[in-house]
Amino acid sequence: MSLSLSSIKRIAVLKGGPSSEREVSLRTGAAVAVALRSLGYEVEEVDVTGREVNLPAGIDFVFLALHGTFGEDGTVQAILEARGVPYTGCGIAASRLAFDKEASKDLFRAAGIPTPSGFVVSRGGEFRDVLAMAMPVVVKPSRQGSTVGMSFVFSTEEIEPALKKAWEFDSHVLVEQFVKGREFTVGILGNQALPPVEIVPKHGFYDYDNKYTAGATDYYCPARIDDETTRRIQKAAFLAHRVLCCQVYSRVDVMLDQEGRPFVLEVNTIPGMTATSLLPKAAAAAGIDFPGLCRRILELSAEAFAQAQENIAVKKEGGG
Ligand SMILES: Nc1ncnc2c1ncn2[C@@H]1O[C@H](COP(=O)(O)OP(=O)(O)O)[C@@H](O)[C@H]1O
Ligand SMILES: [Mg+2]
């Protein structure tokens, strides 16, 4: 089956999902559905409430608007892959890697991509190494999003409670050196790194409330940095995307330290897509409006699907 953008008529937008990011996902799904309808597609919004996916009949494509566990970690991608249903964004393995901060960090290190140093501590395990780290540190569950279960730790006494909190969300917890500096996020679309967005919370850190409360954080795009710094951040972000075998699109979180060195925190394979989310802001700065961004994601995903089908066909012809 070949697939091109023009053959897609009916799209299921999968939203909600069982993760702690369900509410954000519902918003992403609603915004994407509006955009796809404005482009003339027939859209079915599917609220995923558990770990099962019931697709309406006659769907040509699935647009994934799920964030977090199940939707962003390769699980839903595996379900759709097995059914032969094309879907947007990264494949199974890339989704799983990017969702796992521990595995991502190993590959960033191997590829020479700067990332904050740190340790992984298993649930209930020994954490003597962590106590020797210079404060502050950031304690986060390896597989979670939206800063859920995460703590900023300023003294060694706070480490154990922070680990216990993070262990509630994952058996593997990352304790990372805190990077003092400025925060950016870089959208990747196809082979292009979009203009970085600078993130400046008005108070405290970029935690759940500062992420999702209107007006709590200032965003600058284009960011207030020179061309050389822009390129350095984009280069690190694009390499992080590639090293995790990501395709189509993603959004890479990067800290810039006081010496102007970028440190990659993580790659988000299904970033927020409400009209005010960060990836759409970056796309807008590159001249791509919200519906245009949705269309481009569909187009790149259809190309990736067609390419994968071709590879399977070649293998079959080759026998063996
Ligand atoms: N090592 C770090 N140094 C400084 N700030 C950090 C560090 N790690 C995380 N943060 C802050 O916490 C936020 C969330 O961390 P991140 O690793 O992106 O996980 P997630 O977004 O999946 O919760 C970041 O956007 C950043 O503001
Ligand atoms: Mg993040």
Side-chain angles (χ1 to χ4, degrees), residues 235-315:
K235 196 176 155 199
F238 191 69
L239 190 55
H241 171 95
R242 286 217 8 235
V243 156
L244 303 185
C245 304
C246 291
Q247 58 181 14
V248 181
Y249 77 120
S250 73
R251 209 203 67 219
V252 186
D253 294 338
V254 182
M255 298 297 302
L256 189 73
D257 78 358
Q258 289 170 318
E259 277 89 60
R261 292 177 299 188
F263 288 84
V264 173
L265 296 180
E266 61 153 355
V267 178
N268 301 285
T269 54
I270 308 187
M273 283 276 283
T274 67
T276 55
S277 297
L278 304 181
L279 178 66
K281 271 195 205 344
I288 307 166
D289 65 8
F290 190 74
L293 174 60
C294 294
R295 180 175 32 217
R296 185 81 183 114
I297 289 172
L298 261 186
E299 184 179 35
L300 290 163
S301 304
E303 280 169 20
F305 183 78
Q307 185 64 55
Q309 296 294 102
E310 213 168 280
N311 292 346
I312 293 168
V314 167
K315 265 194 205 134

Side-chain angles (χ1 to χ4, degrees), residues 65-142:
L66 299 165
H67 306 309
T69 325
F70 185 71
E72 205 172 346
D73 65 4
T75 309
V76 84
Q77 289 79 3
I79 292 171
L80 296 174
E81 200 86 40
R83 293 187 198 169
V85 180
Y87 54 90
T88 51
C90 294
I92 303 166
S95 303
R96 194 153 193 96
L97 267 179
F99 196 67
D100 185 329
K101 292 188 171 78
E102 178 185 358
S104 298
K105 205 181 250 315
D106 285 345
L107 296 183
F108 294 160
R109 282 197 188 117
I113 300 166
T115 179
S117 60
F119 297 96
V120 174
V121 189
S122 302
R123 188 181 286 138
E126 176 59 54
F127 55 93
R128 210 177 315 143
D129 291 341
V130 171
L131 295 173
M133 287 172 79
M135 297 291 125
V137 295
V138 185
V139 178
K140 46 180 135 169
S142 183

Side-chain angles (χ1 to χ4, degrees), residues 101 116 137-138 140 144-148 150 152 176-180 183 199 201 205-207 211 251 253 255 265-266 268:
K101 292 188 171 78
V137 295
V138 185
K140 46 180 135 169
Q144 260 299 330
S146 289
T147 69
V148 173
M150 197 175 123
F152 294 93
E176 252 181 27
Q177 205 66 66
F178 177 81
V179 179
K180 192 169 159 54
E183 174 158 12
I199 298 165
F205 299 101
Y206 194 46
D207 56 12
K211 263 184 195 180
R251 209 203 67 219
D253 294 338
M255 298 297 302
L265 296 180
E266 61 153 355
N268 301 285

